[in-house]
Amino acid sequence: MITRILRKISLINRMTLIKLIGIVTVLISVISCEKNITLNLPVAEPKLVVEGYIYQDTFPYVILTRNVPFFSTLDSSTLQEYVVKGATVIVSDGITTDTMIEINYGQLTFYASLDNNLKGRVGRTYSLRVEADGQVVTSTTTIPEPVPLDSVWWKVQGEHDTLGFAWAHLTDPDTLGNYYRWFAKRINHYPDGDQKDADFIAPIGSTFDDKFINGKSFDFFYNRGNLPNSTKEDDENEERLFFKTGDTIVVRFCTIDRASFQFWRDEETQGSNNGNPFANPAPVTSNIKDGLGVWGGYSVTYDTIIAR
């Protein structure tokens, strides 16, 4: 009886020992596999970044910067380091050619043509050439025919009683290949007298095409966009993303070319995926040859909504 018990104890001890040896072996293997890894990240090729526009009946303008290393620090104090000054920027519609002048307004530097013959005209193609930092970049864009909205209005959203979205009715032409972009600006004022929006703002998803709506007539809506890092009270409380009763909203509805649509669709996809570890990488499509950014022609119609 005692012998039998000792044999069981011995068997248990052997099994325990085998398990311990196995665990130690695994731990040793894991520890031995650890080593420091140094990643040699490639240095991005320096490139000019163009953000340029030409709207019908307005002068063309361009903002120039340099691309920023991925892991660099970018804030208000370092932004000026990437602004390009002293560039030669040339715009042409094939008839008139003009060298843009450099304009410094506060911390903003941009280039503009003030030649009345180069105000944007529907149907015309405009070429751009930029020479700076020993580089030359070029692009072309066309101002397409405008497609106006049929009607616009404001409507309360869900259970809210004073907050809602801006709505519109659009009839898309029966020709495939129309591209659109939506902007809005509140021109009424806060109690302190400041206008609510200083400029037109495009919300996320502002661009769309007629791939699935060609020739159709339909209603659609947009929330209120806000500027990045805005600290305005109504961008941080329950009013965020909503227009409010009493707002006077000016809608700028744009028809754009395919290249501009591709750029802003990709840019908005990147912006909405920011911080999402499960999102697929979405490279931004640029129409700037040998550079980055966009040179876009816009035809524009304006409508006003009074939220009430």
Side-chain angles (χ1 to χ4, degrees):
M1 181 68 178
I2 295 175
T3 303
R4 190 178 300 172
I5 293 173
L6 290 174
R7 286 178 179 175
K8 288 183 179 181
I9 293 174
S10 178
L11 178 61
I12 292 172
N13 288 337
R14 286 199 301 273
M15 293 176 65
T16 302
L17 180 61
I18 291 172
K19 289 181 180 179
L20 288 173
I21 292 174
I23 293 172
V24 172
T25 301
V26 171
L27 289 174
I28 292 174
S29 299
V30 171
I31 294 172
S32 64
C33 289
E34 290 184 357
K35 64 178 180 180
N36 294 327
I37 299 176
T38 301
L39 296 177
N40 294 318
L41 297 175
V43 178
E45 178 186 356
K47 288 189 176 183
L48 293 174
V49 182
V50 176
E51 184 177 355
Y53 307 97
I54 180 165
Y55 295 80
Q56 92 252 29
D57 301 324
T58 63
F59 295 113
Y61 69 93
V62 173
I63 299 171
L64 293 178
T65 54
R66 303 175 180 87
N67 58 335
V68 181
F70 188 81
F71 290 106
S72 64
T73 300
L74 183 61
D75 53 34
S76 58
S77 62
T78 60
L79 185 60
Q80 285 299 310
E81 299 176 11
Y82 301 101
V83 174
V84 176
K85 298 184 178 182
T88 300
V89 184
I90 301 171
V91 62
S92 176
D93 65 355
I95 302 172
T96 303
T97 299
D98 186 42
T99 299
M100 293 185 173
I101 62 173
E102 181 178 319
I103 300 173
N104 295 290
Y105 184 77
Q107 291 188 328
L108 177 65
T109 297
F110 63 97
Y111 299 81
S113 170
L114 301 181
D115 189 328
N116 284 318
N117 293 318
L118 283 173
K119 282 187 174 180
R121 296 188 184 182
V122 171
R124 286 199 179 178
T125 297
Y126 295 85
S127 63
L128 181 73
R129 178 183 174 89
V130 178
E131 302 174 12
D133 296 343
Q135 302 178 54
V136 177
V137 301
T138 58
S139 185
T140 59
T141 189
T142 301
I143 299 180
E145 290 289 333
V147 179
L149 296 169
D150 299 321
S151 58
V152 293
W153 66 96
W154 173 86
K155 187 168 69 174
V156 168
Q157 178 66 19
E159 300 299 322
H160 299 282
D161 57 356
T162 61
L163 304 177
F165 296 149
W167 286 75
H169 187 87
L170 173 66
T171 299
D172 180 71
D174 191 17
T175 52
L176 190 63
N178 294 294
Y179 306 93
Y180 304 106
R181 194 168 189 217
W182 167 287
F183 298 82
K185 176 173 69 172
R186 299 170 298 171
I187 61 172
N188 54 307
H189 297 78
Y190 293 112
D192 64 4
D194 289 340
Q195 184 170 296
K196 285 193 170 182
D197 295 323
D199 201 355
F200 287 93
I201 301 174
I204 291 294
S206 65
T207 54
F208 63 98
D209 64 358
D210 65 350
K211 183 177 181 180
F212 300 109
I213 59 170
N214 182 47
K216 299 184 183 298
S217 185
F218 59 97
D219 295 341
F220 66 100
F221 68 88
Y222 272 104
N223 60 280
R224 179 173 66 84
N226 52 56
L227 297 177
N229 304 315
S230 172
T231 58
K232 293 195 297 186
E233 182 179 354
D234 54 10
D235 285 336
E236 297 182 325
N237 59 20
E238 70 278 359
E239 296 181 26
R240 185 175 184 270
L241 304 180
F242 291 102
F243 296 102
K244 187 178 182 179
T245 300
D247 282 344
T248 300
I249 309 156
V250 179
V251 175
R252 184 170 75 184
F253 189 65
C254 305
T255 307
I256 59 179
D257 64 8
R258 178 176 173 79
S260 296
F261 164 74
Q262 288 179 318
F263 174 86
W264 288 112
R265 178 195 57 187
D266 293 347
E267 191 277 339
E268 290 176 337
T269 299
Q270 286 277 32
S272 60
N273 287 343
N274 187 29
N276 183 355
F278 302 105
N280 291 323
V284 177
T285 305
S286 172
N287 68 340
I288 307 297
K289 184 179 179 181
D290 298 322
L292 302 171
V294 66
W295 165 239
Y298 287 58
S299 64
V300 184
T301 57
Y302 294 92
D303 294 278
T304 301
I305 303 171
I306 297 178
R308 58 187 176 193

